[in-house]
Amino acid sequence: MEHTSLLERILRGIALTLVVVFFMFPIVWILMMSFQTNETILRIPPQLVFKPTLANYTALITGKLTTAAGTLDIAFMRNLWNSVFLSVTSVAVALLLGVPAAYAFARHKFRGSEDIAFTLLSFRFAPALLVLLPLTLYFQKLGLANTYIGLIWVYQLICLPLILWIVRGYFEDIPADIEYAYRIAGHSWFATFRKIALPLAGPGIAAAGLLAFIFAWNNFIFALVLASADKQPVTVGALAFITSSGIQYGQISAAIVLSITPTLALALYAQRYLVEGLSLGAVKG
Amino acid sequence: MASLELRNVVKRYKSQTVLDNLSLSVADGETLVLFGPSGAGKTVLLRLVAGVIDPDEGKIFIGGEDMTDLDAEFRGVGMAFQNFALFPHMTAFDNIATPLQAKRSSQGAMKAGVESVAKLLKIGHVLSHKPRALSNGQKQRTALARALVGSPPVLLLDDPLRNVDAKLRFEMRLELPRLLADRGATVVYVTQDYKEAMALGDRIAVMSQGVIKQLGTPEQIYREPANIEIARLFGDPTINLLDVKPSRDAKGIYVGLSNVQVHLTGAYDATVGRDCVIGLRPEALRFVDEGTPAAIPVTVEAETPLNEKIVTLVRTVRGREILVSRPAGTPGQTEGRANIAVDGKSALLFDRASGDRIGSKNVVNLRSGEAA
């Protein structure tokens, strides 16, 4: 049994509170801002007590932004949909390509397999801006600029290496004997992959998919350069709130709240899964 | 049913040769035990037969058919792994049913098949459990059931009793021979336990460093081990090994043990004057009364009563320690001075330099494979 004195517990409580306040403050502040008008936000000193308004959310959902200079159309809901569509599709494609590839890298050591796997990982080393210029030129030639297909393709730079490397570790953790046993029982290698390897690597695949989703969702630079307004995700769409008549802090905050809600909900729901999954893959000897 | 044959099989990993030009044949319905220390290549050999790894050279025949290039699922063998290799996400029932599933058996046939083999192995009550909820013994039986359920003509058992407790191992050692005989399958059984090897094998192949050092019946391996290493591996308590230099007198070849001449029976003429090692099984030594011809005086150092036998450690006048084993309940010296007699017929003589037994006809010709 562990005995802790009252003082110890109080100090621990204070320390924990400090940490939580430190990390939660920006989110709480943004949440508060999203219920205020620009005037109350910009008041000095800032007020903790205010009359909440839903105007920011209404503006986002109806798509009509009322500023001092007049009414402005914004495509926030469109952007949100783009984010969902791009992230989900990219992760789906990355899973479809990455999981079998990860299995191949884990189970079959062929000539150059390590090099190929490393090259795929190195996509994540290159600064996005470095890749973007040539990519933009190619995309314009190929007619892929400003298309969903083009964006999903580029998003593979984010998702595929992540999924490939995490899932590969999981496949390597499955004892080969288990798969051998299934083969010897009379099943084909494909059945073995489907019925043994996939279910056993399931938590890892889920964790990798989730992480890839978050990365894809948070991506800004690829969509900024390669897509125009109607294909852009929320991360880029939020730029629209910097208008000629000033920065719309209230709407930006509301947009942030709306755009982090899906990932936050997903992360909270799968938190245990995610931590377990990622650390399991990590402690492999 | 099917026979099994490996012809000049070579397997290398990087620069290391794990199986070195190995040939072996197992008759239809025979149980062959592969015995040897870790790293001898036993498991690799099983995997080659199962088809999960490919040989670098050589051919593998099952039932007379060349299976060398056939994938594992087409070879029709059953295999039980040392680490069980159960599918952790399936129940014991589904685990056992996998070979039947592969044959596209009907639901009814599958249920009947699994249940009959489960009953045989006494795991009928845990079929709905996942492997994680099974005890080691149940896991081992589940793995065995999975290997048996499809009635494969060739069964490969990779040290299936390695990871179970001593009591269960003893039980299974008694049960397995009957079980295997009932199946009529050709069995290759890997073990590191000499008792298991003796109990289960029609023949034993003693492996070491990728080659078969000796192939023979349990009796042959025990009575006529090919070399010192094998003599030492088989037998509990371990064989007594003493350095000797045989000489000749009117009565034949003899060795001097504590200044007593012990005459040997056998064709040992060529050993006169050579450095040899004599191997004396502890049970071939007897306590005798003082004055018996060729009795060796010793001092009793310690006595260990095991259930069915008593093992006595004695010391000769030259200070060499010898183990004597006698059945429990038979008379013997428990302390002080004693005399032991050596049965010259059962003594084994080895060449000290090479370790090979002298007069051994049973040594496998390492290059050409087959045993004499």
Side-chain angles (χ1 to χ4, degrees), chain A residues 64-84:
Chain A
K64 296 271 179 248
L65 186 59
T66 321
T67 65
T71 310
L72 212 64
D73 279 338
I74 48 161
F76 180 75
M77 291 319 279
R78 174 90 199 164
N79 290 336
L80 199 62
W81 158 248
N82 283 342
S83 268
V84 172

Side-chain angles (χ1 to χ4, degrees), chain B residues 286-301:
Chain B
R286 283 167 296 121
F287 285 106
V288 291
D289 295 332
E290 207 175 335
T292 312
I296 303 164
V298 293
T299 324
V300 175
E301 294 277 322

Side-chain angles (χ1 to χ4, degrees), chain A residues 26 82 90 167 169 253 266 276:
Chain A
N82 283 342
S90 300
V167 175
S253 305
L266 204 63
E276 235 173 48

Side-chain angles (χ1 to χ4, degrees), chain A:
Chain A
M1 288 294 284
E2 198 188 333
H3 291 283
T4 47
S5 69
L6 186 68
L7 181 73
E8 213 173 316
R9 264 183 289 164
I10 290 171
L11 285 178
R12 185 177 295 174
I14 291 171
L16 281 175
T17 314
L18 278 176
V19 170
V20 170
V21 166
F22 181 80
F23 283 108
M24 291 306 289
F25 179 75
I27 292 173
V28 173
W29 197 251
I30 285 169
L31 193 69
M32 279 165 58
M33 275 162 69
S34 72
F35 290 108
Q36 300 177 51
T37 59
N38 242 9
E39 294 83 66
T40 49
I41 292 169
L42 295 172
R43 196 159 22 177
I44 293 171
Q47 307 264 297
L48 276 177
V49 187
F50 57 88
K51 197 161 153 276
T53 166
L54 285 173
N56 296 324
Y57 289 98
T58 349
L60 288 177
I61 291 162
T62 55
K64 296 271 179 248
L65 186 59
T66 321
T67 65
T71 310
L72 212 64
D73 279 338
I74 48 161
F76 180 75
M77 291 319 279
R78 174 90 199 164
N79 290 336
L80 199 62
W81 158 248
N82 283 342
S83 268
V84 172
F85 178 76
L86 284 172
S87 302
V88 168
T89 322
S90 300
V91 170
V93 171
L95 282 174
L96 225 56
L97 297 172
V99 171
Y103 185 70
F105 283 126
R107 281 290 177 250
H108 303 284
K109 301 281 174 239
F110 46 91
R111 186 191 296 265
S113 66
E114 278 310 310
D115 299 329
I116 297 171
F118 188 78
T119 306
L120 283 166
L121 182 68
S122 71
F123 292 163
R124 307 244 346 133
F125 303 161
L129 278 172
L130 199 76
V131 190
L132 264 171
L133 183 66
L135 212 57
T136 315
L137 295 174
Y138 278 127
F139 268 36
Q140 272 160 3
K141 281 247 160 57
L142 291 169
L144 285 171
N146 196 26
T147 58
Y148 283 127
I149 293 177
L151 278 177
I152 289 165
W153 196 348
V154 174
Y155 271 37
Q156 296 312 309
L157 286 179
I158 309 165
C159 300
L160 197 56
L162 206 66
I163 285 174
L164 186 78
W165 275 79
I166 295 176
V167 175
R168 177 191 180 180
Y170 274 85
F171 281 136
E172 281 172 350
D173 279 354
I174 302 172
D177 279 353
I178 290 184
E179 290 182 24
Y180 289 160
Y182 204 67
R183 288 294 298 275
I184 292 168
H187 299 270
S188 67
W189 70 265
F190 187 68
T192 309
F193 172 66
R194 229 161 36 89
K195 293 283 177 59
I196 304 295
L198 276 188
L200 290 181
I205 294 170
L210 208 67
L211 208 63
F213 180 85
I214 293 171
F215 274 82
W217 183 277
N218 289 345
N219 184 266
F220 171 74
I221 196 81
F222 286 139
L224 174 72
V225 177
L226 292 174
S228 61
D230 63 324
K231 304 281 187 331
Q232 279 169 345
V234 275
T235 43
V236 182
L239 285 178
F241 300 112
I242 304 171
T243 63
S244 51
S245 61
I247 299 168
Q248 304 299 315
Y249 289 107
Q251 275 95 1
I252 289 179
S253 305
I256 290 171
V257 170
L258 283 182
S259 61
I260 65 172
T261 306
T263 41
L264 196 66
L266 204 63
L268 282 178
Y269 165 72
Q271 191 185 31
R272 205 164 45 92
Y273 223 29
L274 194 69
V275 172
E276 235 173 48
L278 290 177
S279 55
L280 261 178
V283 287
K284 179 180 100 63

